[in-house]
């Protein structure tokens, strides 16, 4: 640990415990869940952090998020072609790998909370960020659940919006892609 004025900075390879920290190099908010050693900042690769204040609310407006790993160009088409069951899905590329989440009829919460149906554990995501609604009539919609950073559908800020095949949903630093597979194509 390094003392910098009144700020304590935690260097990589020192135990810091769990909680929200801010990278000293790029101000990126990072959540550590009891690591044995401090990992690198996922935004800039920095190795020094300060603990975020209880009263500090890190948001996307305070940081510029840069992807440390580029997604392969054809990852989304590969995900689409890997679908074997008809239905609606969310696809995302995060932490160096592609993920596919099948959506069920009804309400599904998206957020940082452990009670969320789709959990995105990142400080840029509110505990209760959004709700996906798959209606019995077959419509898919998204509702902003009073999140700190809001949601975007195809680059537009929305509170309540329909989602269709090919749409992108931005939640915090995550870009989720809506995919639909019909019975004959699956």
């Amino acid at each position: 640990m390094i003392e910098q004025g009144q700020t304590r900075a935690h260097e990589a390879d020192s135990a810091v415990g769990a909680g929200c920290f801010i990278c000293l190099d790029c101000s990126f908010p990072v959540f550590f869940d009891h690591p044995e050693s401090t990992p690198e900042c996922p935004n800039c690769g920095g190795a020094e952090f300060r603990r975020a204040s209880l009263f500090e609310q890190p948001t996307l407006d305070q940081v510029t998020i840069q992807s440390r790993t580029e997604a392969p160009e054809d990852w989304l088409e590969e995900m689409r072609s890997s679908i074997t069951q008809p239905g609606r899905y969310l696809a995302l590329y995060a932490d160096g790998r592609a993920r596919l989440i099948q959506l069920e009829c009804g309400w599904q919460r998206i957020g940082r909370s452990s009670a969320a149906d789709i959990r995105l554990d990142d400080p840029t995501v509110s505990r209760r960020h959004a709700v996906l609604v798959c209606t019995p009539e077959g419509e898919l919609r998204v509702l902003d659940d009073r999140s700190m950073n809001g949601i975007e559908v195809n680059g537009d800020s929305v509170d309540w919006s329909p989602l269709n095949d090919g749409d992108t949903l931005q939640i915090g630093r995550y870009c989720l892609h809506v995919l639909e597979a019909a019975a004959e194509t699956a």
Side-chain angles (χ1 to χ4, degrees):
M1 189 165 50
I2 301 170
E3 297 287 337
Q4 294 180 346
Q6 294 188 16
T7 301
R8 288 185 176 166
H10 299 275
E11 287 186 277
D13 297 328
S14 66
V16 296
C20 190
F21 291 81
I22 305 295
C23 176
L24 291 180
D25 293 332
C26 69
S27 299
F28 187 79
V30 180
F31 181 79
F32 298 143
D33 188 16
H34 296 290
E36 290 184 18
S37 64
T38 306
E40 290 183 344
C41 173
N43 187 50
C44 72
E48 294 183 355
F49 302 88
R50 67 174 172 81
R51 186 172 291 277
S53 163
L54 176 65
F55 303 104
E56 186 174 11
Q57 294 293 323
T59 66
L60 287 175
D61 294 335
Q62 294 175 331
V63 296
T64 302
I65 297 174
Q66 301 168 349
S67 177
R68 297 231 343 119
T69 58
E70 290 290 321
E73 284 185 31
D74 56 351
W75 79 270
L76 192 55
E77 286 309 314
E78 287 179 16
M79 291 301 287
R80 187 181 292 277
S81 65
S82 72
I83 297 173
T84 59
Q85 298 293 319
R88 290 194 170 111
Y89 298 84
L90 287 179
L92 71 145
Y93 194 90
D95 303 324
R97 64 184 175 135
R99 299 174 189 196
L100 189 66
I101 303 164
Q102 186 168 13
L103 302 176
E104 299 177 15
C105 195
W107 295 73
Q108 295 180 5
R109 289 201 183 277
I110 300 175
R112 197 177 70 235
S113 168
S114 59
D117 299 305
I118 301 171
R119 187 169 184 240
L120 302 174
D121 191 11
D122 188 84
T124 62
V125 178
S126 296
R127 285 180 185 88
R128 294 176 46 181
H129 202 105
V131 177
L132 286 174
V133 182
C134 295
T135 67
E137 297 80 27
E139 186 179 24
L140 178 64
R141 297 184 70 86
V142 64
L143 170 70
D144 185 345
D145 198 8
R146 300 180 311 263
S147 67
M148 292 293 292
N149 293 325
I151 58 175
E152 292 182 3
V153 174
N154 299 325
D156 296 323
S157 291
V158 297
D159 290 323
W160 176 243
S161 176
L163 293 173
N164 298 300
D165 185 43
D167 286 348
T168 59
L169 173 62
Q170 188 75 37
I171 295 183
R173 73 174 183 104
Y174 296 96
C175 183
L176 301 108
H177 301 268
V178 179
L179 303 177
E180 291 186 32
E184 55 275 358
T185 59

